[in-house]
Amino acid sequence: MRIIYRICILLILISMLFPLRIGYSAADEQINDVEIKVQDLFQKMTPEEKIGQLFLVAFRGREFTEKSEIFDLIVNRHVGGVVLNLANDNFTSLNTIENIYQLTKTLQQIEWEGPIVFESDDTSTSITQPYNYIPIFIAISQEGDSYPYNSIINGVTTLPSQLAIGATWDLNLAEEVGNVLGEELSALGFNILLGPSLDVLDFPYVEGGDDLGARTFGGDPFWVGELGKAYIKGVHSGSNNQMAVISKHFPGRGSSDRLPENEVATVRKSLEQLKQIELAPFFSVTGNSPNEESTTDGLLMSHIRYQGFQGNIRSTTRPVSFDQSAQEQLMSLPAFESWRNSGGIIVSDNLGSNAVRKFFNPTGEGFDPRQISRNALISGNDLLLLDLYVDTSDLDPYSTTIRVLEFFTQKYLEDPAFAQRVNSSVKRILKLKYELYGEFEIEKIIPNKENLEKVGNNQQINFDISSNSVVLMSPDLVELSVILPEPPQRDERILFITDTISARQCTECPSQLIFGVSTFQDAVLRLYGPGAGDQVTPTRMSSYTFADLNRYLVDPQSFSVLDSELRNANWIVFSFIKPNFENQDSMALQKFLADRPDLLNNKKVIAFGFNAPYYLDATDISKLTAYYVLFSKTAEFIDTATRLLFQEISADGVLPVSVPGIGYDLISRTAPNPNQIISLFLKTPQEISPVVGVPQLDFSNIPKVALGETIGLETGVIVDYNMNPVPDGTIVRFLISYVEKGTNIQQVEAITQKGIAKVTYRVQNTGLLEIRAVSDPAYNSEVIQIEIPEPEGAEATIVVLSTPEMTETPTLTLTATLTPTEPVVIIKENPTILPRFSDWIAMVLIVTMMSVGVFFFSKTRIPIRWSTRWAILAFIGGMLAYILISFQSIMRAKWTLTLKPIDLMAVTFLGAIIGCFIGWIWYVRGRVELRKS
């Protein structure tokens, strides 16, 4: 027995040399580390701390003390984060960047320090860390195009609108914009971006209603998803992965006719219809995203209702943000399910918005913020956004927030089901915070102040987008050259009429012009006036506002000066932003075109739209000499408009949304262009692999291929009417026939990835093979002919190749019909890594527990001596199996890549069983020998 005991000890020591975890990648290791940190911290948290993490709160002002409301909410109520915005006076127009940095820094420090306010700029001062320090989220919405869609309108780079990015159709520019935004906001101390909008402008505009305008990437689901992925990737890289991206407005509100902030809209669409359009971009940035960098961290759940969501047109959901059944149905879709399982969070839209109030409290009575918040959490939201969340019985949002927190804490202690729901969301929130910072240390949370030098110095991206996105709506370029053969001359009078917009960074801040009455005229003088070409005469230019024009249209005699200017002008240049039926001044252009056609005679009337392109109808456009859309109103876009007016540049952009006024239908324009000749490329058998960039063969001599060999076929990039690659999923048919035999044409369908479709073909018939490709309505392609000289023939197999981003290759076998077979899974090799010591401990415990179980099971059936032997042999068998499989995993790592830890446990368990079996044989043999003696 001593020898056996020594053998056991020796095996344990040997096994310690092989603490190898099989089938784990470095990413798995990092994820496990985060989960362990989350679990450890979660176990230490009090119910109040857990409840506080669920809330993202707003507050008024930008200065606070230990007695202030936001100080109490952060330090004593443990709220998970804050959201800063312009409406709550969180920013100032004086030293904006410095003040924002100090604000975010102080917010993080009061959470770190507790009740002591940290005054010093030296963040390295030794501080006693609180027991459960958790950094707070600091969120902001910064959509682009300045006011009203930017919370910060001073100091930072004023980036273009999302629609301007969409009009470039350039993923690199989208990523660059995201990079600038992520870099600047992260430098200021923000760690959550409430954006971008992934809404699809399906029905862009209903006259008299409201719309998202330039706040989205466009109207094609595929391109909205692609641009969204690039934008998100840029935000992550620019912030060094320290900014969470919360894409909105899930599940999509591009078909609604009113803004999410004002009223709960109802859209008549089923879930199947939503999958095709509204949900498609969200699929792209969640479970279908090719990498973590382009994957959104969260989704902002919008207050929107759907009629016919489950197929019954008479049934209407509650707002999805409060409808548990609808949210569960959405999150059960494969892309969202995998994304949620890997930690994706759901953020509610503002629970204190007018839309929610109108829906739950149309009469002004019965609005209970506690139950509203509870319903939002139970429905599936993890992080609840409270901005100006006030109960009618409370004096202020702070009082209401305190009551909600106390109600949640009581409910947590009394209701196990509610506590389970809270725990699930809290763990998701903690995981996201750990992924942003790795460790909860104040030095890692507060950004380096030196990074502020990068803020506000990235204007080049605006120029690049403005010059590539501008669209000539009417007429076309050929007709324009006839109508406007030359730009404005020095002796001609130019009248500028502008839809002005001004804003304040805070209530007490001075008003500042975002688009002033003379903004366009000033740009003309700067670029073409005296000292800059001298192409215009300052005294022959004048500027007026839309308010002036509206006043003139109401009573022409009261504004004789403008009447004279209109009659004497050679050029009338209109600059408008977004018509609003509640503001009649903004409708002055349409009214002028309708009511005063007499003032348009013998004049060149040019309109520049600095927002969405669909606000003028066909009648309005027909009265204009030229109509341009620039999608954004930053200084670079105004300069671009000026250069267009003086014909220095031309409009190269392509509309990203449908515009009924000019008969532009986006879905038709993204179909394959029928005027193209689809290129075809041939791969030799040695070159067949799912990679891009196959050389085209010389077809002056017909190539020969041996019978049974496999050739690859690949189209070139198939383009749409706008000369962009067609959306992914466009169907391409490869037509394969034998010329001499007169056989039927075999058609094989493939779908495009990045505009390219691929198939392979294994030759099993002889003769002259001819191959072409079509993609409706593009029917012309190059033709490939291949000679197969061998006399034998058989059936052919066609395989649709994946693109480099795909991990599966579906295979089609050509018989009487094309039938899909099992997919071939390409397994990417991940290097094995050494695990923690706990993995080895787990294996020893498993074997030991089984040995003990064998002992207690057998001691009542056989002598104790034999029970002990059985247990020891089970232990030896399990340890030997573990050592063997671990040794082979080192010597033959590739073979063990397919094993998982559960497989290793099974092998160890099997080894223990074998040890028991050997012990049983030993026992039986001993009994037989005893009887013989």
Side-chain angles (χ1 to χ4, degrees):
M1 291 296 291
R2 289 181 179 178
I3 295 176
I4 294 177
Y5 293 147
R6 289 171 181 173
I7 291 174
C8 291
I9 293 172
L10 180 62
L11 290 175
I12 292 175
L13 293 174
I14 294 174
S15 69
M16 291 177 68
L17 301 175
F18 303 100
L20 186 67
R21 246 180 6 168
I22 300 172
Y24 278 69
S25 66
D28 296 325
E29 179 75 7
Q30 183 179 3
I31 290 172
N32 277 343
D33 286 342
V34 169
E35 290 175 349
I36 289 173
K37 291 177 182 177
V38 168
Q39 192 62 34
D40 289 345
L41 178 58
F42 180 81
Q43 296 296 334
K44 301 174 184 176
M45 294 172 67
T46 65
E48 291 78 9
E49 288 175 324
K50 294 174 184 177
I51 294 302
Q53 287 299 310
L54 301 175
F55 293 92
L56 193 66
V57 302
F59 64 95
R60 291 190 180 278
R62 53 192 173 275
E63 296 179 359
F64 38 81
T65 64
E66 294 181 31
K67 297 181 180 180
S68 63
E69 297 170 353
I70 189 59
F71 186 96
D72 178 60
L73 289 174
I74 292 175
V75 176
N76 301 319
R77 310 291 177 170
H78 316 290
V79 293
V82 299
V83 57
L84 305 181
N85 57 49
L86 180 148
N88 287 331
D89 289 344
N90 296 136
F91 312 120
T92 178
S93 58
L94 297 175
N95 299 320
T96 304
I97 300 306
E98 175 69 24
N99 287 332
I100 293 174
Y101 176 80
Q102 291 299 330
L103 174 62
T104 60
K105 176 181 175 181
T106 306
L107 287 169
Q108 294 289 5
Q109 285 177 331
I110 63 174
E111 169 65 16
W112 169 263
E113 297 176 340
I116 302 174
V117 179
F118 191 77
E119 300 289 349
S120 172
D121 290 334
D122 181 15
T123 59
S124 63
T125 302
S126 177
I127 300 172
T128 301
Q129 183 176 349
Y131 185 64
N132 291 323
Y133 167 66
I134 304 173
I136 63 172
F137 285 136
I138 303 181
I140 189 172
S141 175
Q142 189 84 351
E143 297 182 6
D145 198 29
S146 189
Y147 181 84
Y149 307 123
N150 277 359
S151 294
I152 307 173
I153 58 177
N154 293 300
V156 297
T157 301
T158 305
L159 294 169
S161 68
Q162 288 185 211
L163 199 59
I165 300 171
T168 68
W169 304 76
D170 191 322
L171 303 185
N172 292 327
L173 289 176
E175 183 177 345
E176 191 174 344
V177 171
N179 191 287
V180 170
L181 184 64
E183 181 182 56
E184 295 194 2
L185 292 182
S186 178
L188 291 172
F190 294 98
N191 53 23
I192 279 191
L193 173 66
L194 299 177
S197 167
L198 297 182
D199 300 295
V200 180
L201 287 175
D202 188 18
F203 302 108
Y205 182 62
V206 177
E207 188 171 349
D210 212 333
D211 66 305
L212 291 170
R215 299 169 65 185
T216 73
F217 288 116
D220 184 274
F222 167 75
W223 280 102
V224 171
E226 291 297 297
L227 291 164
K229 285 191 295 186
Y231 190 94
I232 292 169
K233 182 180 179 181
V235 173
H236 283 151
S237 61
S239 64
N240 196 25
N241 290 317
Q242 290 193 333
M243 176 162 285
V245 178
I246 311 298
S247 301
K248 57 186 183 184
H249 304 87
F250 185 82
R253 53 183 314 124
S255 299
S256 68
D257 61 352
R258 56 208 70 196
L259 292 177
E261 298 86 351
N262 299 332
E263 188 175 354
V264 174
T266 300
V267 173
R268 182 177 293 186
K269 282 194 176 184
S270 67
L271 179 57
E272 291 303 315
Q273 291 174 310
L274 291 176
K275 288 180 186 178
Q276 300 298 317
I277 299 178
E278 278 87 348
L279 290 175
F282 294 100
F283 289 149
S284 297
V285 301
T286 52
N288 293 345
S289 178
N291 50 59
E292 291 184 4
E293 288 79 10
S294 57
T295 301
T296 189
D297 301 285
L299 297 174
L300 185 76
M301 189 68 67
S302 182
H303 307 312
I304 189 170
R305 308 176 72 195
Y306 290 99
Q307 186 175 5
F309 181 79
Q310 297 177 332
N312 181 3
I313 194 63
R314 303 187 187 282
S315 174
T316 303
T317 67
R318 301 180 74 196
V320 177
S321 48
F322 300 98
D323 194 317
Q324 182 178 2
S325 175
Q327 282 204 39
E328 289 177 350
Q329 217 172 334
L330 288 166
M331 290 300 112
S332 67
L333 298 175
F336 298 139
E337 185 175 31
S338 62
W339 173 77
R340 281 288 276 175
N341 290 339
S342 57
I345 70 169
I346 302 295
V347 182
S348 77
D349 206 343
N350 181 19
L351 300 182
S353 68
N354 290 330
V356 175
R357 289 181 172 279
K358 289 179 182 178
F359 181 82
F360 287 102
N361 185 27
T363 62
E365 299 177 359
F367 181 75
D368 187 350
R370 296 174 301 175
Q371 293 300 328
I372 296 296
S373 301
R374 174 188 172 277
N375 291 341
L377 180 72
I378 295 299
S379 298
N381 301 286
D382 301 306
L383 191 59
L384 307 181
L385 175 56
L386 308 183
D387 188 358
L388 303 182
Y389 200 45
V390 186
D391 189 353
T392 53
S393 61
D394 292 326
L395 297 176
D396 51 44
Y398 168 73
S399 302
T400 299
T401 302
I402 295 296
R403 288 208 303 130
V404 171
L405 289 168
E406 292 174 347
F407 169 74
F408 267 51
T409 303
Q410 181 181 357
K411 194 75 175 172
Y412 182 87
L413 297 172
E414 297 174 352
D415 187 345
F418 183 79
Q420 184 178 7
R421 177 69 192 87
V422 169
N423 293 343
S424 174
S425 292
V426 171
K427 289 178 180 178
R428 288 181 184 276
I429 292 167
L430 293 178
K431 181 181 179 183
L432 178 57
K433 290 184 176 182
Y434 270 118
E435 287 174 346
L436 292 177
Y437 296 113
E439 300 291 341
F440 291 168
E441 299 173 358
I442 192 65
E443 293 81 6
K444 294 185 177 181
I445 308 302
I446 297 177
N448 192 325
K449 191 172 182 179
E450 294 178 357
N451 294 335
L452 294 181
E453 297 176 359
K454 304 176 183 178
V455 178
N457 299 316
N458 297 284
Q459 304 299 338
Q460 180 61 38
I461 184 61
N462 271 321
F463 176 78
D464 294 339
I465 290 179
S466 66
S467 58
N468 285 280
S469 64
V470 60
V471 175
L472 174 61
M473 302 286 290
S474 175
D476 58 36
L477 284 173
V478 176
E479 186 177 354
L480 181 66
S481 63
V482 177
I483 299 175
L484 293 177
E486 56 185 14
Q489 303 299 302
R490 291 189 78 256
D491 60 343
E492 291 183 312
R493 301 191 66 87
I494 309 174
L495 175 62
F496 298 95
I497 303 179
T498 303
D499 186 8
T500 59
I501 181 172
S502 61
R504 297 176 185 270
Q505 184 67 80
C506 63
T507 304
E508 299 175 355
C509 297
S511 177
Q512 56 190 93
L513 289 173
I514 304 299
F515 203 131
V517 59
S518 63
T519 297
F520 208 131
Q521 180 177 333
D522 293 342
V524 170
L525 288 173
R526 175 166 44 83
L527 295 174
Y528 301 101
D534 200 22
Q535 293 180 242
V536 294
T537 304
T539 57
R540 302 186 71 82
M541 294 191 297
S542 55
S543 298
Y544 293 87
T545 67
F546 269 38
D548 296 331
L549 179 61
N550 190 49
R551 172 188 159 193
Y552 167 78
L553 293 173
V554 172
D555 185 6
Q557 296 181 353
S558 66
F559 213 146
S560 58
V561 175
L562 179 55
D563 181 77
S564 175
E565 294 279 6
L566 286 168
R567 296 182 184 279
N568 295 325
N570 302 105
W571 295 74
I572 303 178
V573 179
F574 290 97
S575 300
F576 69 98
I577 300 173
K578 184 177 180 180
N580 181 357
F581 279 81
E582 296 180 359
N583 178 9
Q584 286 301 305
D585 288 345
S586 69
M587 303 297 296
L589 172 59
Q590 289 92 326
K591 189 175 181 180
F592 176 78
L593 295 175
D595 297 349
R596 298 303 303 267
D598 57 301
L599 295 177
L600 303 177
N601 295 330
N602 300 318
K603 301 184 189 303
K604 300 175 182 68
V605 183
I606 315 296
F608 291 97
F610 292 91
N611 199 275
Y614 40 69
Y615 296 125
L616 299 183
D617 60 28
T619 303
D620 294 331
I621 295 173
S622 67
K623 299 175 182 179
L624 300 172
T625 308
Y627 173 29
Y628 295 91
V629 172
L630 292 97
F631 306 102
S632 201
K633 57 183 180 292
T634 68
E636 291 77 16
F637 283 79
I638 295 170
D639 284 352
T640 297
T642 304
R643 290 185 169 92
L644 286 168
L645 179 63
F646 283 82
Q647 301 180 9
E648 182 180 333
I649 60 174
S650 60
D652 298 323
V654 176
L655 285 170
V657 295
S658 297
V659 180
I662 60 172
Y664 180 87
D665 179 64
L666 183 63
I667 300 302
S668 299
R669 297 294 298 182
T670 53
N673 191 329
N675 296 322
Q676 68 185 309
I677 297 177
I678 300 174
S679 300
L680 281 180
F681 300 92
L682 178 67
K683 291 182 179 181
T684 63
Q686 293 78 19
E687 293 175 322
I688 295 173
S689 60
V691 297
V692 180
V694 181
Q696 186 172 8
L697 297 183
D698 180 11
F699 294 117
S700 56
N701 295 318
I702 297 178
K704 294 182 180 181
V705 175
L707 186 66
E709 285 190 346
T710 302
I711 59 173
L713 300 170
E714 177 179 323
T715 68
V717 176
I718 301 174
V719 298
D720 60 18
Y721 285 83
N722 297 328
M723 304 309 293
N724 294 313
V726 293
D728 284 2
T730 300
I731 295 175
V732 178
R733 289 178 293 131
F734 288 85
L735 310 180
I736 305 171
S737 62
Y738 286 87
V739 177
E740 298 173 352
K741 296 185 177 181
T743 57
N744 293 331
I745 297 177
Q746 301 165 356
Q747 298 189 22
V748 183
E749 286 190 356
I751 60 174
T752 59
Q753 292 284 335
K754 300 187 183 300
I756 298 172
K758 303 176 183 179
V759 296
T760 61
Y761 187 91
R762 193 174 70 230
V763 177
Q764 291 190 348
N765 279 321
T766 58
L768 184 62
L769 189 65
E770 187 172 273
I771 304 164
R772 63 185 71 228
V774 298
S775 182
D776 298 340
Y779 296 109
N780 298 319
S781 79
E782 296 176 347
V783 178
I784 294 178
Q785 289 187 336
I786 305 171
E787 183 180 349
I788 300 93
E790 306 246 355
E792 288 183 27
E795 143 188 280
T797 299
I798 297 169
V799 181
V800 180
L801 284 178
S802 68
T803 61
E805 289 78 8
M806 298 175 64
T807 58
E808 294 187 352
T809 304
T811 303
L812 301 178
T813 302
L814 184 62
T815 55
T817 59
L818 292 172
T819 307
T821 64
E822 290 297 319
V824 179
V825 179
I826 302 172
I827 301 175
K828 295 183 178 180
E829 295 190 7
N830 293 320
T832 57
I833 59 173
L834 291 177
R836 295 174 297 274
F837 188 70
S838 58
D839 296 314
W840 174 82
I841 289 292
M843 294 302 170
V844 173
L845 288 176
I846 290 172
V847 176
T848 302
M849 290 172 62
M850 183 173 180
S851 301
V852 173
V854 168
F855 174 79
F856 282 103
F857 175 77
S858 60
K859 74 174 184 176
T860 58
R861 295 170 175 78
I862 59 177
I864 294 294
R865 180 181 61 178
W866 285 103
S867 298
T868 304
R869 289 174 178 174
W870 279 24
I872 292 173
L873 286 170
F875 183 86
I876 292 173
M879 295 306 295
L880 281 173
Y882 173 71
I883 291 171
L884 177 64
I885 196 70
S886 299
F887 178 75
Q888 289 187 355
S889 68
I890 292 176
M891 302 303 295
R892 300 167 59 191
K894 185 175 181 179
W895 171 65
T896 59
L897 279 172
T898 57
L899 291 180
K900 299 177 180 178
I902 189 67
D903 301 322
L904 187 56
M905 293 179 187
V907 171
T908 304
F909 183 81
L910 179 61
I913 295 294
I914 294 173
C916 291
F917 182 69
I918 293 173
W920 179 78
I921 294 176
W922 188 7
Y923 170 72
V924 171
R925 182 180 177 183
R927 297 282 294 180
V928 170
E929 290 179 354
L930 181 63
R931 288 176 181 175
K932 288 181 179 180
S933 62

